[in-house]
Amino acid sequence: MNSIPDDIHHYFSSTPILLNQNIPISFQNNQLTILTIQSDSKLETDIEFLFGYSVIFEICSKSEFATVQKKYYQEHGQQTDNKTHKKSSNNGQYFTALSRVNETSNGSLSDTLNSDSFSAVSTINKLITNAIELEASDLHFEPFESRYRVRYRLDGVLKEVESFPPDRKQSIVSRLKIMADLDIAEKRRPQDGRIRVRRNNRTLDIRMSSLPTDFGEKIVLRILDKEKLQLDINTIGFAAEELVIFIRNINVPNGIILVTGPTGSGKTTTLYAALNYLNCEGVNILTIEDPIEYNLDGISQSHVRANIGYTFAGALRTFLRQDPDIIMVGEIRDKETAEIAVRAALTGHLVFSTLHTNDAPATLSRLIDMGIEPYLITGSVRMVLAQRLIRKKCILCSKNEPEENNKGITGCDNCNFTGYSGRIPVFELMEVTDNIKELIHQKATVSQLRSQAIKDGMRTLADSAQKMYEKGITSQDEMLRVVG
């Protein structure tokens, strides 16, 4: 049993019901052998899906199983007890929740939970597998009074793919929480976790968030596929003239580069591409993120731990003692973080960060609203980039469209009958010129800043989207949906 991977021991040990029916006994050439009284095709699918291991069941008698089970507990029982104690003290976890069920129901509800959890296994595996195949970015599990809805976010737009009776929600939520190593007994507070799955010989990370609602917990899964992460700054979508401006500004030795846009607009991809471009042996790059979406080789990445007071501001203070050349702050959310970022930029560091504003000019006004003095903004901020992701018309649909129909509503199998396939970024790139600096000192309005930026050569988000429409890349409806 010593050859069995730790993740398998942890998987079986964290689900005691599993060990009453199945014991992992050997592992060789990526193949796991499980001793059991009766094989279980759903468990086989689950392990292959979660870990990428093929499974062989070795059938034995009840007495033989009991002997091996006793030996397994002797070898791994103490380790399991320690893990279970740690998890129950921190998160509750599956074993603690199951014990409470047994105490209150004499085991009857635990049998139901066992049955439900395995039916939920195949359901969740199918939903996640289909989402990956369709290249969905998110899955939404949403409880309502009369139904339990599942939606995928495909090319930035949510689409319902499944609806269950409301009594199915608890087994699905419990299963997802077990996969993400969360507390299934805690239903009153939001929780965040991660799931790692194997698909087509590659590993994908799935970020999970739970939110209490009137009719149960809403779960959102965000699929993070590193293989699809575009890190080449030359191919992420900049127009030629924008790329020249962007590269010129990220090559400065110090200052602040800000990227703005709503969740899911591609900000992280742009920042990672910039860091990847600047990453070399002679440069020390540090990031603080919430959470880390992708691991970048050669870059030291740290994630926020608010429960122990490790915030963006706290991390920035530590970073300044780590001899950094370049710093990336996941988001500037408050005055304290903004002040430290400005101080870092003014003392010789290049700082990248994000803000949630509607466009580039509004970002400068937002810093003033936070309480940052205008002279500090003009002395530190080099460039602001606003961006959105806009859906591209399906190539196959476009070939069959009449010329006068530019709405992209013709559907086919290739685009899942949406008329669109894939997305492309549109940018609004604003350099902080001398004219802009003068307006910042005057605490000018957003409209005044925008007018001056356009005079200085900035192309707005609307203009960028209009160009995509004129080239036939997107539709008029999509252009209006994204940028108005």
Side-chain angles (χ1 to χ4, degrees):
M1 294 184 192
N2 293 333
S3 63
I4 298 171
D6 288 341
D7 54 4
I8 288 293
H9 281 310
H10 176 68
Y11 176 70
F12 278 81
S13 299
S14 63
T15 312
I17 288 177
L18 209 55
L19 281 177
N20 289 334
Q21 303 170 353
N22 306 274
I23 299 290
I25 57 173
S26 68
F27 181 80
Q28 190 172 7
N29 298 327
N30 223 37
Q31 189 172 75
L32 178 70
T33 301
I34 298 175
L35 186 70
T36 186
I37 299 171
Q38 182 176 358
S39 61
D40 189 324
S41 60
K42 291 179 180 178
L43 175 60
E44 179 181 357
T45 301
D46 195 28
I47 290 175
E48 183 176 349
F49 180 76
L50 288 173
F51 305 105
Y53 306 146
S54 62
V55 174
I56 294 178
F57 286 102
E58 185 173 312
I59 310 298
C60 67
S61 67
K62 291 183 178 180
S63 59
E64 290 173 326
F65 183 84
T67 300
V68 175
Q69 184 184 46
K70 182 178 179 180
K71 181 180 179 182
Y72 185 91
Y73 276 120
Q74 288 174 343
E75 293 182 3
H76 302 281
Q78 185 61 44
Q79 181 182 7
T80 301
D81 290 344
N82 290 339
K83 288 182 178 178
T84 302
H85 174 72
K86 180 179 180 181
K87 289 186 175 184
S88 64
S89 63
N90 291 337
N91 295 325
Q93 284 303 328
Y94 184 82
F95 186 76
T96 303
L98 186 62
S99 299
R100 292 173 185 166
V101 170
N102 286 334
E103 289 171 4
T104 58
S105 64
N106 294 323
S108 59
L109 282 182
S110 66
D111 294 337
T112 303
L113 178 59
N114 187 32
S115 174
D116 283 349
S117 66
F118 274 107
S119 63
V121 165
S122 58
T123 298
I124 291 168
N125 287 359
K126 178 182 177 181
L127 286 168
I128 293 178
T129 298
N130 289 345
I132 293 170
E133 291 176 351
L134 290 171
E135 298 187 355
S137 60
D138 304 84
L139 295 82
H140 291 239
F141 296 81
E142 302 167 307
F144 300 100
E145 186 173 13
S146 60
R147 63 185 178 130
Y148 188 60
R149 180 175 69 180
V150 181
R151 293 190 291 174
Y152 291 168
R153 189 175 292 279
L154 300 167
D155 291 331
V157 178
L158 285 168
K159 179 179 178 60
E160 182 171 337
V161 295
E162 195 67 79
S163 184
F164 298 101
D167 60 0
R168 297 298 301 154
K169 65 186 176 186
Q170 193 51 56
S171 61
I172 291 175
V173 170
S174 295
R175 174 62 191 160
L176 286 169
K177 284 186 172 182
I178 290 169
M179 293 173 70
D181 208 22
L182 299 179
D183 183 0
I184 69 169
E186 178 56 73
K187 303 176 183 179
R188 299 167 300 173
R189 293 184 299 178
Q191 296 185 71
D192 295 299
R194 284 203 171 213
I195 299 169
R196 178 166 290 182
V197 300
R198 293 277 299 173
R199 181 69 181 165
N200 297 330
N201 295 320
R202 58 195 175 101
T203 300
L204 294 92
D205 282 327
I206 300 176
R207 196 166 72 203
M208 174 172 159
S209 171
S210 72
L211 175 72
T213 71
D214 277 354
F215 298 105
E217 292 173 277
K218 173 183 167 76
I219 303 292
V220 175
L221 304 181
R222 168 156 289 189
I223 300 173
L224 305 173
D225 187 352
K226 188 172 184 179
E227 290 188 10
K228 295 186 180 297
L229 181 64
Q230 178 55 261
L231 291 180
D232 185 351
I233 201 170
N234 296 293
T235 60
I236 64 173
F238 283 115
E241 63 274 18
E242 292 172 334
L243 181 61
V244 170
I245 297 171
F246 189 78
I247 289 178
R248 181 175 70 235
N249 280 274
I250 67 172
N251 271 302
V252 298
N254 57 75
I256 298 179
I257 308 295
L258 294 172
V259 181
T260 184
T263 301
S265 61
K267 298 189 300 296
T268 298
T269 299
T270 300
L271 287 171
Y272 279 1
L275 295 180
N276 185 62
Y277 175 84
L278 297 168
N279 187 19
C280 64
E281 181 184 356
V283 176
N284 180 21
I285 303 177
L286 305 176
T287 77
I288 175 66
E289 305 171 55
D290 184 21
I292 297 170
E293 294 198 10
Y294 299 97
N295 295 115
L296 304 176
D297 185 56
I299 295 175
S300 299
Q301 297 170 265
S302 181
H303 63 86
V304 169
R305 292 183 177 89
N307 60 325
I308 61 171
Y310 188 60
T311 61
F312 283 122
L316 267 175
R317 292 193 192 91
T318 303
F319 282 7
L320 295 177
R321 298 191 290 271
Q322 288 281 316
D323 186 31
D325 298 294
I326 299 170
I327 296 170
M328 196 270 274
V329 184
E331 183 183 349
I332 293 178
R333 297 175 179 172
D334 51 51
K335 180 181 179 182
E336 183 183 16
T337 306
E339 286 178 335
I340 301 172
V342 167
R343 188 189 316 150
L346 293 174
T347 55
H349 305 89
L350 181 60
V351 180
F352 291 87
S353 192
T354 71
L355 272 174
H356 282 288
T357 57
N358 290 327
D359 56 26
T363 304
L364 299 175
S365 294
R366 175 71 179 124
L367 289 173
I368 293 174
D369 291 342
M370 281 183 171
I372 306 302
E373 292 294 334
Y375 75 92
L376 293 175
I377 297 173
T378 59
S380 60
V381 180
R382 303 282 187 176
M383 177 180 66
V384 182
L385 178 72
Q387 66 180 79
R388 301 289 190 276
L389 291 176
I390 195 166
R391 290 185 293 174
K392 298 188 294 183
K393 293 170 65 177
C394 173
I395 296 175
L396 297 183
C397 290
S398 298
K399 288 180 179 178
N400 299 322
E401 268 184 359
E403 287 188 9
E404 66 273 14
N405 179 12
N406 201 23
K407 293 187 177 181
I409 57 174
T410 305
C412 67
D413 289 332
N414 178 63
C415 62
N416 199 31
F417 298 96
T418 64
Y420 301 95
S421 180
R423 290 188 292 174
I424 190 170
V426 290
F427 298 105
E428 180 177 276
L429 199 157
M430 184 180 75
E431 289 186 284
V432 182
T433 62
D434 289 340
N435 292 328
I436 294 293
K437 289 179 181 179
E438 182 60 32
L439 289 176
I440 293 172
H441 282 299
Q442 297 172 12
K443 296 186 178 180
T445 65
V446 173
S447 296
Q448 291 172 320
L449 289 167
R450 184 181 298 110
S451 296
Q452 184 60 57
I454 292 172
K455 290 178 183 178
D456 291 342
M458 182 187 81
R459 187 166 70 184
T460 66
L461 285 167
D463 289 339
S464 297
Q466 177 74 23
K467 290 289 184 184
M468 297 296 178
Y469 167 61
E470 291 172 355
K471 292 178 181 178
I473 295 172
T474 192
S475 70
Q476 187 177 53
D477 285 350
E478 177 66 4
M479 176 186 72
L480 295 173
R481 183 187 72 85
V482 174
V483 299

